[in-house]
Amino acid sequence: MNENGAFNEIVDRYDGPKAIFIADRGYESINSFVKVGMKNHKYLIRVKDIHSRTSVLRSFGPFPDAEFDMHVRRTLTTKQTNEIKAHPEIYKFVPKNQRFDFSTEALILILNVVLYVSKLVMTPTKVLLQI
């Protein structure tokens, strides 16, 4: 089982009061974001650099190069119509080969994306917070 699978299993098994799931890089996935949100919990997950080829956030941009705190809203879909391809600021394509445990009919993902520079190490640190 990989990190995403382990994270999803923890979320599935948790039946306590509202919680905030906190994870480091390697645990980020659209499936995980939706899974936690559908159970009315919150999460704080550090993700790869927004400019990284393998970052889950790369397709949610563009983002400023300076520090920022912004909301991102996308309608998740498994379709690839010309309308969807023409509006990446509205739609997020979820490929069928990517684990996704939900139907994408009218499923909207709202994220709060924060980039800040740590004053201690002076390197950018990315944080993704579901609201």
Side-chain angles (χ1 to χ4, degrees):
M1 177 181 303
N2 64 16
E3 289 91 356
N4 290 332
F7 183 82
N8 287 322
E9 190 171 321
I10 289 169
V11 173
D12 286 338
R13 287 182 177 182
Y14 182 76
D15 63 354
K18 284 192 176 185
I20 300 173
F21 291 89
I22 300 173
D24 204 354
R25 281 182 274 209
Y27 292 88
E28 73 271 13
S29 75
I30 293 171
N31 190 58
S32 297
F33 302 156
V34 173
K35 186 174 289 275
V36 174
M38 296 285 276
K39 292 190 168 233
N40 292 319
H41 297 300
K42 304 289 183 181
Y43 56 86
L44 177 66
I45 300 177
R46 187 171 175 220
V47 298
K48 293 177 186 170
D49 186 284
I50 55 176
H51 302 295
S52 169
R53 275 186 333 120
T54 59
S55 174
V56 72
L57 287 182
R58 184 177 178 155
S59 62
F60 285 91
F63 297 107
D65 287 332
E67 291 185 342
F68 63 85
D69 181 351
M70 61 191 291
H71 289 7
V72 176
R73 177 188 171 119
R74 295 292 185 276
T75 300
L76 302 177
T77 182
T78 55
K79 298 178 182 175
Q80 284 190 307
T81 64
N82 288 336
E83 170 73 13
I84 289 166
K85 290 177 184 178
H87 295 285
E89 73 282 359
I90 298 172
Y91 301 101
K92 169 63 179 149
F93 172 67
V94 181
K96 294 193 187 280
N97 66 349
Q98 183 178 14
R99 179 178 178 174
F100 196 70
D101 300 334
F102 306 94
S103 166
T104 56
E105 283 187 34
L107 187 58
I108 296 175
L109 179 64
I110 300 173
L111 306 170
N112 185 34
V113 182
V114 179
L115 170 68
Y116 69 93
V117 177
S118 170
K119 303 297 186 230
L120 296 175
V121 292
M122 297 305 292
T123 58
T125 305
K126 281 70 176 173
V127 176
L128 180 68
L129 174 65
Q130 186 260 343
I131 58 170

